[in-house]
Amino acid sequence: MEKSKILKLVKDIMIDIAGGILIAVGVYNFASAAKFPMTGFNGIALIFYHLFGTPIGTVTMLLNIPVALITYPILGKRFFLRSVRSIIITSVIMDIVAPLFPIYTGDRMLAAICCGILPGLGLAMIYLRDSSTGGADFIILATKAKCPHISVGKISFASDFIIVLLGAAVVSRDLESLIYGILIAYLLSIAVDKIMYGIDQGKVSLIVTEHGPEICEKIDEILGRGSTILKGVGSYSKQERDVVMCACNNKQMYGIRRLVKEIDPKSFLVIMESNDVVGEGFKSE
């Protein structure tokens, strides 16, 4: 048991380091040179960096203290301690490791894309380990705990807009940088959502039919996918019907749609998007 805990801790730290590098490079090596307004507490730290030359990682860590104390009761002790570890690792990388890499001074559009995608990937990696880089993350994940139906990316985009607006007004002072900042915030939210929810994105089908067992058998035979038969009753006809539920990837849904129509042309087929599927045949939690 102790060995497994140690291995998990080592894995968490390695992912924190990898995520921290992506975040630091995106912020320090791309955003700072282009004077882009960034999102979250990194965005606030960037403002101080441009105005006073203060280290980005150190300022981010200092800004975290009051927010961490306020959100601690909501997020809990374990998440708080994991986040403290991620904050320290990311801040150290930001101030010590990132300056070792070259500063990008090329095309601003490419810089903006990297500013959005790289930190987004880093943040998602850390989020997936049930941790965060603090600051605005604490606010975002506290909101997520209160409103679980709203995606992390959307909450992040909404909370970061004011910081981007402030950064553009104080540092760059031009409309173009504000537009770039909004683009960065959007790309970051997309990257976070795609990594957290989109890796196993696929389809879920609900098939209302009189031939449930036959359809299930064909799905398993042709596509190698399991399915579940639910019992349903029509609200108008009061007749019982089988409801076949099957989760699959996007390509397999075409095969399900075709074989359902072949077996039971009168069936009622509902196809829905699935952000994540956990269980046998898919990924384990």
Side-chain angles (χ1 to χ4, degrees):
M1 190 67 179
E2 289 300 321
K3 184 178 179 180
S4 64
K5 287 183 179 179
I6 292 173
L7 290 174
K8 183 179 183 301
L9 177 60
V10 171
K11 185 176 180 180
D12 287 344
I13 291 174
M14 295 302 294
I15 289 176
D16 278 347
I17 293 172
I21 291 173
L22 290 172
I23 295 168
V25 169
V27 174
Y28 185 89
N29 301 86
F30 287 93
S32 63
K35 291 189 175 181
F36 286 145
M38 279 295 290
T39 59
F41 274 24
N42 285 326
I44 298 175
L46 263 178
I47 295 174
F48 282 91
Y49 172 78
H50 287 298
L51 294 179
F52 310 111
T54 52
I56 299 171
T58 302
V59 172
T60 302
M61 193 182 304
L62 292 175
L63 291 172
N64 273 311
I65 295 173
V67 177
L69 294 175
I70 293 171
T71 57
Y72 174 80
I74 299 174
L75 300 176
K77 180 180 178 180
R78 292 182 62 189
F79 179 82
F80 174 79
L81 293 176
R82 282 193 293 266
S83 297
V84 168
R85 181 195 64 220
S86 300
I87 291 166
I88 294 172
I89 290 173
T90 303
S91 297
V92 169
I93 291 172
M94 184 78 73
D95 290 343
I96 297 177
V97 179
L100 300 177
F101 293 98
I103 301 294
Y104 181 78
T105 57
D107 184 77
R108 295 195 86 199
M109 178 58 74
L110 290 178
I113 292 172
C114 290
C115 286
I117 299 299
L118 294 180
L121 294 176
L123 286 171
M125 289 169 63
I126 293 171
Y127 288 157
L128 286 171
R129 302 304 296 178
D130 198 18
S131 183
S132 82
T133 55
D137 291 349
F138 281 150
I139 299 172
I140 292 165
L141 295 177
T143 305
K144 176 69 175 175
K146 293 291 185 181
C147 307
H149 59 284
I150 305 177
S151 75
V152 170
K154 289 182 176 64
I155 300 171
S156 176
F157 182 76
S159 67
D160 287 337
F161 180 77
I162 295 175
I163 299 175
V164 169
L165 186 62
L166 181 63
V170 173
V171 177
S172 52
R173 300 180 183 178
D174 63 80
L175 182 61
E176 185 180 82
S177 292
L178 174 61
I179 295 172
Y180 275 122
I182 294 172
L183 174 63
I184 290 168
Y186 178 73
L187 290 175
L188 193 150
S189 70
I190 292 295
V192 169
D193 276 354
K194 285 298 180 182
I195 294 298
M196 293 190 70
Y197 305 117
I199 291 177
D200 298 286
Q201 190 174 34
K203 305 287 186 181
V204 173
S205 63
L206 294 175
I207 308 156
V208 182
T209 177
E210 294 181 346
H211 305 276
E214 186 179 353
I215 289 175
C216 288
E217 184 180 344
K218 285 295 182 182
I219 290 174
D220 180 57
E221 177 186 334
I222 297 174
L223 302 175
R225 277 292 175 204
S227 51
T228 302
I229 297 179
L230 310 174
K231 293 300 180 181
V233 179
S235 61
Y236 177 75
S237 66
K238 308 301 181 185
Q239 294 181 343
E240 288 192 1
R241 292 286 189 275
D242 290 333
V243 180
V244 178
M245 181 178 71
C246 181
C248 62
N249 61 40
N250 294 322
K251 293 179 181 178
Q252 290 172 327
M253 182 52 67
Y254 173 78
I256 290 177
R257 187 171 184 171
R258 179 174 52 80
L259 67 85
V260 166
K261 289 303 178 184
E262 289 177 357
I263 297 171
D264 184 5
K266 296 181 179 179
S267 65
F268 185 77
L269 174 63
V270 179
I271 299 174
M272 301 175 289
E273 298 286 344
S274 65
N275 287 323
D276 200 7
V277 183
V278 179
E280 186 176 352
F282 294 90
K283 72 174 186 180
S284 58
E285 192 64 82

